[in-house]
Amino acid sequence: MKIVMLGAPGAGKGTQAKQIADQYGIPHISTGDIFRANIKEGTELGKKAKSYMDAGGLVPDELVMDLVVDRIGKEDCANGFVLDGFPRTIPQAEALSAALNKKNEKLDFAIDIDVSDERIVKRMSGRRACVNCGATYHVVTIPTKKEGICDRCGSETVLRDDDKPETVQKRLAVYHEQTQPLIDYYKNKGILKTVDGTQPMEKVFSDITAVLGA
Ligand code: ADP
Ligand code: ADP
Ligand code: ZN
């Protein structure tokens, strides 16, 4: 099963992608997590990506395309993958499609998690992310069992720098301009499935599994 998750920043892509990955035994590949890990480790890639991320913009396509193409060529992706945060531009989607075509493969589904901008802004201020494993929580709707501690791995959870309200507005603008066109792109390919992301997390997940057919 080869899946890409679409949706605005904060729509719930990561939350759902993790559950899909667990349920179907496929890797969850988050480009945001990959960049944050690189920043933490102080790699060249991390240094290049950081300024774009802090400003709420997109990291240039050439810094992300090869990285993802390499990643989905790894052995653990033999049965598929769930991509979260990639593609974010039409050229990225074309690069993904070309890489899969080369192997006579194609995407099965593009799942768009639909949430209005207004709700996004409210959600982001409450988002807390694990510094170690990238799991996300929400102080009101999806709290950790122990305050400030990740349920999955026991590390600290924090408000991401780019989840501050000013940056969130910028990221939403970038989303509408550069990423939203992917909805029509995948609709035209006949693999777009839209789910209502304003429902409780469990209901969003059951809508997704209904779409995936299991
Ligand atoms: P969110 O989950 O809030 O949508 P992500 O963790 O996916 O955010 O991404 C954080 C930041 O990393 C983005 O705002 C962007 O700067 C950068 N980024 C992640 N994935 C991509 C991508 N595919 N192309 C360009 N930039 C990306
Ligand atoms: P994305 O990966 O699309 O940026 P996340 O999965 O990180 O989004 O979710 C953004 C925030 O919203 C997090 O704080 C998360 O806990 C919360 N959240 C996710 N799904 C829901 C939901 N269905 N209802 C309410 N809050 C949610
Ligand atoms: Zn964790």
Side-chain angles (χ1 to χ4, degrees):
M1 187 98 70
K2 298 183 196 67
I3 305 166
V4 302
M5 306 299 293
L6 300 177
K13 300 181 296 296
T15 302
Q16 298 299 330
K18 284 203 167 63
Q19 294 186 58
I20 296 169
D22 288 348
Q23 172 118 350
Y24 294 89
I26 51 178
H28 164 218
I29 303 172
S30 157
T31 45
D33 285 352
I34 294 172
F35 287 134
R36 282 184 289 276
N38 274 273
I39 291 173
K40 208 165 137 193
E41 287 157 24
T43 67
E44 271 314 301
L45 176 67
K47 281 178 198 152
K48 285 184 190 154
K50 188 173 189 314
S51 57
Y52 299 100
M53 292 171 72
D54 285 348
L58 293 185
V59 174
D61 286 342
E62 57 272 22
L63 290 184
V64 65
M65 288 192 310
D66 291 351
L67 182 143
V68 172
V69 170
D70 279 359
R71 181 63 190 85
I72 63 171
K74 295 257 154 66
E75 208 169 313
D76 65 338
C77 293
N79 292 323
F81 49 76
V82 51
L83 278 174
D84 161 18
F86 184 97
R88 261 184 158 94
T89 64
I90 298 280
Q92 290 182 15
E94 296 282 9
L96 175 62
S97 164
L100 291 171
N101 270 340
K102 245 194 219 167
K103 300 190 276 185
N104 272 325
E105 293 175 356
K106 59 179 180 50
L107 285 177
D108 297 298
F109 296 104
I111 299 172
D112 177 36
I113 306 183
D114 189 31
V115 177
S116 71
D117 284 13
E118 203 189 328
R119 288 218 193 201
I120 295 284
V121 176
K122 287 194 192 127
R123 254 189 208 185
M124 297 300 243
S125 58
R127 170 154 73 176
R128 296 294 179 272
C130 173
V131 294
N132 175 50
C133 76
T136 55
Y137 303 91
H138 189 281
V139 288
V140 178
T141 55
I142 308 172
T144 50
K145 292 201 181 77
K146 236 178 113 188
E147 199 186 321
I149 302 295
C150 177
D151 291 352
R152 284 186 170 234
C153 77
S155 296
E156 188 194 359
T157 63
V158 297
L159 177 71
R160 271 165 45 183
D161 278 344
D162 61 346
D163 280 349
K164 307 215 161 94
E166 324 74 89
T167 319
V168 169
Q169 293 291 357
K170 173 77 203 314
R171 289 164 66 204
L172 277 173
V174 168
Y175 167 75
H176 288 300
E177 189 184 317
Q178 304 203 55
T179 308
Q180 207 172 14
L182 292 175
I183 292 177
D184 277 339
Y185 176 91
Y186 286 119
K187 196 186 280 172
N188 290 334
K189 296 209 178 241
I191 60 167
L192 181 78
K193 304 285 173 185
T194 303
V195 298
D196 175 1
T198 63
Q199 310 175 96
M201 175 177 82
E202 297 77 12
K203 180 69 173 71
V204 178
F205 186 60
S206 64
D207 283 4
I208 292 174
T209 52
V211 159
L212 300 180

